[in-house]
């Protein structure tokens, strides 16, 4: 088990807090994340560290494309835990998120043994774990080793589901009427992501630690580029992050995220562009990787593009 | 670095949580305990570490996240766990006046409760102007300087406005509930219920149970113009908007003049007096000019994604007198129209005899408005009930 999934809140008198290890642990987590290709900023690393230590869920919010989902993936890889993912959507219900009986199989079992079995035995048999379909939430709490449970885009799920989730997240148990209560063998590290399509309830927010993830600053984005696209030359990489930074300052409907940056660099490498100063045509053509709506493409006129490119290439 | 006495820390941390609470953070006693416990898991002598740790624990939404650093600095700066004055006995921290920068953030203590932690009379003569950076916090001096929304019009009229808003909300709701009944047969089988229902037949699925997705009610988003030209009306409309947000759970309200602020939380404050003073603070610049296009643009970029879905009705209460650029207006209205289901524009001037929507901004916005109606009197507002129900 990782170093502290079960850490309990300390007593009120434990106030000296002068253990020199604090910073080290956050830094260690940061470098472990970096070793699997995720460059976290300080605030996020601290939030993850605390989530690990306090055993509380972490709610990560931010614009689309800042790498919210990646956090959970990298966190799982870095801590060597299994990743279980629950993608939320409108209309998501308990049957799809927690458990469901395998009705088809139950019906078959009833048919097959119709004549040589009493009703009680049949019932006993078909309401056993064999006929239970585990959905992500149940799956996550029945693991021997604490997994990372990613609840992606929780704001897309309905409010009723959010309330139910809150209950699961505070008790880490699920009750199945026919089987009884299933308690967590290990408490999963829960990471929730949200995109602000709907405001989440205060209760859920209070239950969770919180981190707001910004678009990375050029320095961090450069580190990400180095980690993810080692093939890109140093000069091109630093020009690209300056370009992207300037582009995000423009009034765009959909600002390019990290994934877009990585795509774009891959495209530039493919077009054999070594410097942004060199080939305006190729840059113009490859902008499809960055600007995903018609009005954004219209907003970046050739003049604007030249201005940004010149400044980035300087 | 010297270790801090636990009682001193307890008092300081509790004070910090109270300080955040005064600044509208949703925090309970559990958070105070958690904040204190946190010091066991981080390096309590590294201010950066403490800030990031508390931020992750105590901030719960983006607005809080963004304001946290300022509030943290104001509270701990200069007198944090590191630079505690050695001559002061540790246990004394409860009775001392709060540190300089903090006083600026303090509302007069509400009766009881917090008084022990930070006694009144702590307003230093010079700290306010020197340190304040215009944060939105309740303070007696500043709220007096602003328009007092408490004396709007006569109470009977205001109550009537609220009632009317509730009625309009119901009118729209009625429409929604009818739509459920007319929904076509659900395509999905509910296997669980089907099996249950047919247990008596040995599990043979004779009666099929179908299920359909429950429809979510329409969201209402109100953008209220409180600029100078709307002064006579905006106070009364504010009450109307309050009625709407109270009745309608899925609603969001915004004020705008030269900029746009979200007021939903302030409107839903249970204490009406506090709600009004919060509004007064939010409406700084109340009665100034209007920049509708700019405000709508800000709404589109900052709030639209969260506030609007394909079932949203946007209601704009404004006279359309804008000092900005008409082409910007039409561009932003188009963006708004694309995100929302319906856009309703209520214009008090429309009730005036001979009024034509010739103001450039109004003319530019009209093509993207589904319902353009007068709203200069209660009767006129009541008249649009049917119109709204049809949306």
């Amino acid at each position: 088990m990782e170093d502290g999934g079960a850490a309990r809140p300390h007593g009120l008198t434990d106030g000296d807090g002068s253990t020199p290890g604090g910073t080290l642990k956050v830094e260690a987590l940061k470098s472990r994340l970096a070793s699997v290709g995720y460059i976290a900023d300080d605030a996020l690393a601290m939030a993850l560290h605390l989530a690990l230590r306090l055993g509380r869920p972490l709610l990560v919010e931010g614009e689309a494309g800042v790498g919210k989902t990646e956090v959970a993936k990298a966190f799982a890889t870095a801590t060597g835990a299994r990743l279980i993912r629950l993608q939320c959507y409108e209309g998501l219900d308990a049957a799809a998120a927690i458990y469901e009986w395998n009705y088809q199989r139950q019906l078959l079992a009833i048919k097959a043994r119709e004549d040589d079995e009493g009703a009680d035995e049949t019932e006993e048999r078909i309401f056993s774990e064999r006929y239970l379909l585990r959905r992500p939430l149940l799956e996550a709490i029945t693991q021997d080793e604490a997994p990372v449970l990613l609840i992606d885009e929780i704001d897309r799920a309905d409010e009723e589901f959010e309330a139910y989730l809150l209950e699961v997240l505070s008790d880490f148990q699920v009750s199945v009427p026919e089987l009884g209560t299933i308690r967590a063998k290990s408490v999963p590290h829960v990471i929730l992501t949200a995109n602000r399509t709907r405001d989440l309830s205060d209760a859920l927010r209070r239950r969770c630690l919180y981190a707001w993830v910004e678009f990375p600053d050029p320095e961090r984005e450069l580190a990400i580029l180095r980690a993810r696209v080692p093939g890109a030359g140093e000069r091109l990489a630093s020009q690209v992050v300056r370009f992207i930074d300037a582009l995000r300052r423009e009034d765009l409907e959909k600002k390019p995220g990290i994934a877009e940056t990585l795509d774009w660099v891959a495209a530039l490498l493919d077009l054999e562009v070594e410097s942004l100063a060199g080939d305006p045509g190729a840059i113009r053509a490859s902008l499809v990787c960055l600007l995903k709506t018609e009005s954004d493409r219209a907003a970046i006129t050739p003049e604007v593009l030249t201005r940004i490119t010149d400044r980035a290439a300087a | 670095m010297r270790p801090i006495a636990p009682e001193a820390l307890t008092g300081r941390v509790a004070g910090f949580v109270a300080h955040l609470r005064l600044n509208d953070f949703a925090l309970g006693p559990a958070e105070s305990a958690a904040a204190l416990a946190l010091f066991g898991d981080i390096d309590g002598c590294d201010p950066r570490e403490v800030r990031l740790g508390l931020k992750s624990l105590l901030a719960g939404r983006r607005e809080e996240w963004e304001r946290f650093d300022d509030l943290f600095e104001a509270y701990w700066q200069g007198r944090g766990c590191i630079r505690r004055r050695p001559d002061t006995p540790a246990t004394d921290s409860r009775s001392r006046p709060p540190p300089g920068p903090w006083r600026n953030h303090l509302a007069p203590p509400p009766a009881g409760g917090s008084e022990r932690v930070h006694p009144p009379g702590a307003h230093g003569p010079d700290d306010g102007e020197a340190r304040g950076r215009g944060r939105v916090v309740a303070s007696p001096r500043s709220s007096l300087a602003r328009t007092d929304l408490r004396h709007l019009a006569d109470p009977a009229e205001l109550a009537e406005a609220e009632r009317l808003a509730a009625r309009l909300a119901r009118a729209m709701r009625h429409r929604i509930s009818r739509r459920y009944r007319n929904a076509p047969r659900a395509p999905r089988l509910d296997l669980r219920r089907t099996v249950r229902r047919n247990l008596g037949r040995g599990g043979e699925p004779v009666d099929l149970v179908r299920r359909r997705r429950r429809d979510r009610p329409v969201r209402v988003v109100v953008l209220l113009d409180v600029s100078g030209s709307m002064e006579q009306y905006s106070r009364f409309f504010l009450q109307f908007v309050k009625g709407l947000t109270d009745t309608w759970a899925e609603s969001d309200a915004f004020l705008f003049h030269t900029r746009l602020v979200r007021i939903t939380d302030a409107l839903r404050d249970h204490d009406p007096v506090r709600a009004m003073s919060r509004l007064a603070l939010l409406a700084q610049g109340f009665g100034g000019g209007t920049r509708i296009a700019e405000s709508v643009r800000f709404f589109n970029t900052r709030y639209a994604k969260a506030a609007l879905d394909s079932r949203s009705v946007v209601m704009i209460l404004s006279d359309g007198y804008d000092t900005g650029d008409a082409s910007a207006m039409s561009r932003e209205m188009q963006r708004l129209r694309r995100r929302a289901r319906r856009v309703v524009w209520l214009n008090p001037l429309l009730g005036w005899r001979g009024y034509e929507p010739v103001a450039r901004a109004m003319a530019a916005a009209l093509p993207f408005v589904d319902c353009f109606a007068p709203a200069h009197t209660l009767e006129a507002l009541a008249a649009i009930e049917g119109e709204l129900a049809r949306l």
Side-chain angles (χ1 to χ4, degrees), chain A residues 14 16-25 53, chain B residues 39-45 49:
Chain A
D14 186 14
D16 64 334
S18 55
T19 39
T23 312
L24 278 179
K25 282 182 206 143
R53 297 281 297 173
Chain B
F39 282 82
D41 289 306
I42 55 172
D43 180 359
C45 287
E49 186 118 324

Side-chain angles (χ1 to χ4, degrees), chain A residues 57-295:
Chain A
L58 170 65
L59 171 62
V60 181
E61 283 191 315
E63 303 282 333
V66 294
K68 298 185 293 291
T69 306
E70 285 303 311
V71 177
K73 290 183 183 165
F75 187 61
T77 320
T79 55
R82 189 182 154 200
L83 178 73
I84 296 174
R85 178 172 177 167
L86 172 64
Q87 172 67 49
C88 297
Y89 51 86
E90 200 181 322
L92 175 70
D93 56 6
I98 304 164
Y99 74 92
E100 190 168 25
W101 289 106
N102 192 339
Y103 300 107
Q104 285 87 344
R105 217 171 148 191
Q106 282 177 330
L107 286 174
L108 269 177
I110 295 168
K111 291 297 265 184
R113 309 279 293 271
E114 225 164 13
D115 299 328
D116 51 74
E117 201 179 52
D120 286 349
E121 290 96 73
T122 306
E123 195 176 321
E124 183 95 347
R125 201 154 52 84
I126 64 169
F127 286 116
S128 64
E129 297 227 10
R130 255 186 87 198
Y131 294 89
L132 195 66
L133 291 174
R134 286 157 197 273
R135 304 297 191 202
L137 282 183
L138 184 61
E139 183 82 16
I141 67 166
T142 49
Q143 301 289 312
D144 289 324
E145 299 227 345
V148 171
L149 171 62
L150 167 63
I151 301 176
D152 216 359
E153 303 190 308
I154 173 67
D155 48 344
R156 287 190 193 279
D158 306 318
E159 271 145 35
E160 298 81 19
F161 180 74
E162 195 185 311
Y164 192 90
L165 183 67
L166 200 64
E167 194 189 318
V168 175
L169 288 186
S170 52
D171 299 343
F172 289 106
Q173 64 179 35
V174 166
S175 67
V176 180
E178 297 86 349
L179 280 182
T181 302
I182 302 176
R183 262 174 246 287
K185 291 182 190 156
S186 60
V187 175
H189 306 295
V190 185
I191 297 183
L192 303 104
T193 74
N195 225 344
R196 294 165 70 80
T197 50
R198 166 173 77 77
D199 206 7
L200 300 174
S201 73
D202 278 344
L204 184 72
R205 287 180 187 280
R206 282 185 57 182
R207 183 77 205 104
C208 297
L209 297 167
Y210 181 83
W212 171 262
V213 186
E214 286 284 354
F215 284 116
D217 52 29
E219 202 180 312
R220 192 156 71 86
E221 189 146 42
L222 190 60
I224 295 170
L225 264 187
R226 282 196 195 114
R228 292 301 198 76
V229 197
E234 197 59 23
R235 184 161 67 120
L236 179 65
S238 57
Q239 284 177 347
V240 162
V241 297
R242 282 200 298 269
F243 183 93
I244 296 284
D245 186 49
L247 194 61
R248 288 194 188 123
R249 285 170 210 274
E250 293 294 318
D251 185 16
L252 296 179
E253 248 171 50
K254 165 95 185 63
K255 295 193 166 114
I258 295 169
E260 275 81 16
T261 310
L262 296 176
D263 281 353
W264 191 48
V265 173
L268 289 177
L269 287 179
D270 203 47
L271 293 169
E272 292 171 358
V273 175
E274 276 161 16
S275 159
L276 291 189
D279 193 349
I283 293 170
R284 182 91 198 143
S286 61
L287 276 186
V288 286
C289 300
L290 298 176
L291 304 172
K292 306 277 177 81
T293 71
E294 187 51 45
S295 63

Side-chain angles (χ1 to χ4, degrees), chain B residues 1 43 60 67 70 124 130 140 143 158 185 202 271 288 302 308 326 340 370:
Chain B
M1 249 160 254
D43 180 359
R67 285 168 62 209
D70 276 351
S143 64
L158 290 180
R185 285 182 66 88
D271 178 350
R302 181 69 189 256
L308 298 180
D370 299 288

